[in-house]
Amino acid sequence: MATGWTFEAPREPAVSSALAAVTDAAIPAGHIGFLRRFGALASGDDSRWFLSAFDYAGLSGSAFAWDEFRAIGLDAADTVADRVRVEAFWAECLPILVGVRGDYEFLAISRTNGAVLHGTEPDFEDTTMIAPGLHELMDGVLRGNLLVPLLRA
């Protein structure tokens, strides 16, 4: 990530307490290490942010819930089949980065294989894989080999 992002150091034992309080997010074990590295990580204008342990535990005070895109998708579902599709997608994918500048968009990781997916409105569940994993995403962005507009300052 480039400059223009704000970083808040993790506060222990608060991060561990928040992770212990998470009940609904089903955070993959591989992602927990990443969550322990920051308390908050957001763009300078606060229009994009990585979801933190506090977000998943409902302790961040954010007006935008960590599973807001799931709720929006369910609200927009016209049929039972649409609801099933939305539920299946979010059971498989965990949002990790939220963007609200312009169109709503997100990055999510697959709970099955760790792939990083990008989704945007209006059909959040129609995603594109941008990296095989979080490590590859960060490495590619830092090396300049992977352009992810959502991560640009």
Side-chain angles (χ1 to χ4, degrees):
M1 285 173 291
T3 59
W5 282 72
T6 59
F7 169 81
E8 181 182 301
R11 302 176 316 269
E12 283 298 343
V15 171
S16 291
S17 295
L19 287 169
V22 173
T23 56
D24 296 334
I27 300 171
H31 189 55
I32 290 175
F34 178 71
L35 293 173
R36 290 186 181 285
R37 295 177 186 258
F38 65 96
L41 184 56
S43 62
D45 64 359
D46 288 324
S47 66
R48 292 159 292 142
W49 63 94
F50 278 91
L51 293 166
S52 71
F54 303 103
D55 290 305
Y56 295 121
L59 302 171
S60 70
S62 175
F64 204 94
W66 71 267
D67 61 349
E68 191 74 27
F69 295 124
R70 176 185 164 274
I72 292 169
L74 287 172
D75 190 50
D78 292 327
T79 66
V80 171
D82 288 342
R83 288 185 68 79
V84 168
R85 182 178 69 86
V86 169
E87 288 285 13
F89 176 82
W90 292 111
E92 163 61 19
C93 297
L94 177 72
I96 61 170
L97 175 69
V98 171
V100 296
R101 180 177 60 183
D103 290 341
Y104 283 0
E105 58 184 322
F106 65 89
L107 295 182
I109 55 173
S110 164
R111 289 183 172 99
T112 302
N113 63 18
V116 179
L117 309 169
H118 174 256
T120 188
E121 64 182 332
D123 187 0
F124 296 120
E125 297 76 31
D126 183 20
T127 60
T128 303
M129 186 183 88
I130 59 169
L134 188 59
H135 174 77
E136 293 84 359
L137 170 74
M138 296 301 180
D139 187 61
V141 169
L142 291 172
R143 292 179 186 271
N145 300 332
L146 184 60
L147 177 63
V148 181
L150 192 54
L151 291 174
R152 295 183 63 124

